[in-house]
Amino acid sequence: MYTVAQLIGGVWGAGGDGGELVVHDPADGTPVTRAPVASADEVAKAVEAARGVAAEWAATAPAERAAALHRAADAVEAAAEELAGATTAEMGKPLDDARGGVAAGIGTLRQYAELALVRGGRTLHGGHAALDFMAPEPRGVVAAITPWNDPVAVSCGLLGAALVTGNVVLHKPSERSPATGWLLARAFDSALPAGVLSLLTGGGEVGAALAGQEVDVVAHVGSTATGRSIAVAAARTGAKVLLENGGSDPLVVDADVDPVWAAGQAALGCFANAGQICVAVERIYVHRDVAEDFVDALVTRAGALTVGAGRDPGTQLGPLVDRRHRDHVHGQVTAAVAQGARIRAGGALPDGPGAFYPATVVEGCRHEMALVREETFGPVAPVVVVDSFTEGLRCAADSPYGLAATVLTGSMSHAQRAWRELPVGTVKVNSVFGGAPGGAAQPRRGSGQGFGYGPELLDEFSAVKAVHLEAPGGGHW
């Protein structure tokens, strides 16, 4: 059992007047974490304490801040196995996947520590007797509200970028992964001056209270509904908002690809981490010429996955985060069946404890079904058959979301059309996951706004000041 403590104003164990929450292992329902719930008054005091140390941290030399971030990366690396274990216990991710998330977070911290030292403003060409330049400055106090599905990797990105650019941070991890957030905060706190990072735990009410405070930036990764509520709250305070929110990412399968290979890509995109990935494949548009062989191969892939608790060796498909979320996933599947779709694999609630849901393939779907249009966030592959690449591209673009999309094609002209025409932040051709280190994208529409990763995230946490220096009387200095 993990017993979580809050960190407020450099003091561990502060607060908790809002009560207590308990997290249960999604594999068997046993309690794994107890965490305090911050009251609104404690949130306000945490913001006040952060404001009190903001100027000092902003004035710290960039090289010193970068060195502190390197030390934080070392501390996270030392706690890597414990962090991975907590992630698996709280949200069910297979242990090897959880280790991969921790490793990704460590890499991001080191990347930002190095990039911070080569960032700078720029000089401007003005009058001969004047000096003009643009200089980045910290924005001040950042509220970071992070998700449960990849808690270490996402949190390291937001916290690392905000801290190394000279901001102080109030971190509110998801109520479904508070122990992971607590362990991460302990690692960071060991490398930072007191008060530069605070940890607040609790549910949506704590996040709402934090977003409504007089902070300078609210960075949120999570659902679209929560993101929109945060944007409304920030409009009242003037805080800058960074959002990476929900998605319903499409996969378009062209007529000229190997359907068995394409099914392997689809299975990876739909079933990895039980479909609980921001850029998971949520809907598939497959050309009629290859549809039958593609679906058959996808069904085979779904049936071959090893299902088990995330902590069990060899597990490929762990449980969903909780039964409430499983009900949401199953509800979308059953609604699609009621509207004429057909289940080819999975689609049934298993007996026994936990929040397990099988890898599910649903064929005969139509573009207007909720299973296709809305975010499912589960191990479900809804298949829509299309008669042309143009139709597949049109359907893929028709969405309230705009996070990412994948196209499988052997045609360079089709690949070019895809990245130009799809209104999303990231387009992947012939690989559902992957990309060069340091890549950055901006989500569109219901999926959010602002850069959420990459070097550009450092700029998101900075404000640029233009400076004009001129000698008195128009003379020379």
Side-chain angles (χ1 to χ4, degrees):
M1 173 73 75
Y2 299 98
T3 302
V4 170
Q6 295 188 123
L7 174 63
I8 299 176
V11 178
W12 280 104
D17 291 344
E20 182 182 76
L21 64 85
V22 178
V23 178
H24 296 84
D25 187 331
D28 58 19
T30 59
V32 293
T33 301
R34 279 193 168 85
V37 175
S39 67
D41 183 58
E42 289 162 3
V43 172
K45 288 179 179 178
V47 173
E48 182 181 4
R51 188 70 67 186
V53 300
E56 184 177 356
W57 181 241
T60 301
E64 189 174 337
R65 295 199 301 256
L69 198 61
H70 270 305
R71 292 194 300 271
D74 292 340
V76 173
E77 191 166 29
E81 196 63 21
E82 193 174 8
L83 281 162
T87 299
T88 296
E90 290 188 312
M91 57 76 56
K93 185 191 289 281
L95 189 55
D96 283 346
D97 289 352
R99 289 172 176 142
V102 176
I106 294 166
T108 299
L109 294 178
R110 298 203 189 283
Q111 180 189 70
Y112 286 151
E114 295 296 329
L115 287 172
L117 296 177
V118 297
R119 289 178 71 251
R122 58 189 176 93
T123 57
L124 306 172
H125 295 292
H128 289 294
L131 173 63
D132 291 84
F133 59 92
M134 297 169 63
E137 296 181 327
R139 287 188 173 269
V141 177
V142 171
I145 302 172
T146 58
W148 51 264
N149 63 312
D150 200 358
V152 178
V154 174
S155 298
C156 282
L158 293 180
L159 271 58
L163 290 165
V164 82
T165 48
N167 301 279
V168 295
V169 177
L170 299 140
H171 181 206
K172 208 294 281 186
S174 169
E175 64 271 24
R176 297 178 180 181
S177 55
T180 307
W182 166 64
L183 292 169
L184 190 63
R186 290 202 313 181
F188 271 80
D189 185 53
S190 70
L192 296 168
V196 170
L197 174 70
S198 292
L199 177 73
L200 295 164
T201 54
E205 73 283 3
V206 178
L210 183 56
Q213 286 290 319
E214 295 288 336
V215 297
D216 300 294
V217 180
V218 183
H220 170 256
V221 178
S223 73
T224 295
T226 300
R228 286 175 173 160
S229 297
I230 287 171
V232 169
R236 299 190 185 101
T237 65
K240 177 176 179 174
V241 177
L242 293 176
L243 302 174
E244 185 187 299
N245 294 153
S248 182
D249 290 1
L251 171 67
V252 179
V253 181
D254 208 350
D256 62 352
V257 300
D258 175 4
V260 176
W261 166 78
Q265 287 291 310
L268 178 62
C270 292
F271 305 142
N273 196 29
Q276 300 170 127
I277 300 175
C278 297
V279 291
V281 171
E282 295 258 348
R283 50 197 173 109
I284 301 169
Y285 302 98
V286 58
H287 196 287
R288 190 174 301 278
D289 289 355
V290 295
E292 184 176 355
D293 290 341
F294 170 85
V295 172
D296 287 346
L298 184 55
V299 168
T300 299
R301 290 271 187 169
L305 292 173
T306 303
V307 181
R311 58 184 174 270
D312 294 342
T315 293
Q316 296 171 298
L317 185 68
L320 295 176
V321 67
D322 58 29
R323 288 202 169 199
R324 182 182 66 176
H325 182 53
R326 186 177 73 171
D327 290 343
H328 159 74
V329 172
H330 187 58
Q332 285 196 347
V333 171
T334 55
V337 171
Q339 294 168 355
R342 299 174 300 279
I343 293 175
R344 287 288 306 273
L349 291 173
D351 296 328
F356 291 95
Y357 199 75
T360 298
V361 179
V362 186
E363 68 175 359
C365 293
R366 299 188 304 277
H367 176 63
E368 64 271 15
M369 289 178 173
L371 181 63
V372 178
R373 299 284 296 169
E374 298 175 9
E375 184 176 38
T376 303
F377 221 58
V380 180
V383 180
V384 179
V385 177
V386 295
D387 291 314
S388 67
F389 181 77
T390 296
E391 182 186 357
L393 211 58
R394 176 181 57 78
C395 290
D398 179 25
S399 173
Y401 300 104
L403 194 57
T406 305
V407 172
L408 306 181
T409 180
S411 166
M412 179 58 78
S413 65
H414 283 182
Q416 293 278 14
R417 280 188 60 195
W419 79 258
R420 291 183 186 278
E421 295 178 19
L422 289 170
V424 298
T426 301
V427 177
K428 297 160 286 184
V429 177
N430 293 332
S431 179
V432 293
F433 297 133
Q442 294 175 311
R444 319 289 168 87
R445 296 177 292 188
S447 292
Q449 62 187 40
F451 287 104
Y453 46 92
E456 287 78 3
L457 184 55
L458 300 176
D459 296 327
E460 295 281 15
F461 286 117
S462 303
V464 175
K465 180 178 289 183
V467 180
H468 173 74
L469 296 175
E470 188 171 319
H476 298 282
W477 290 102

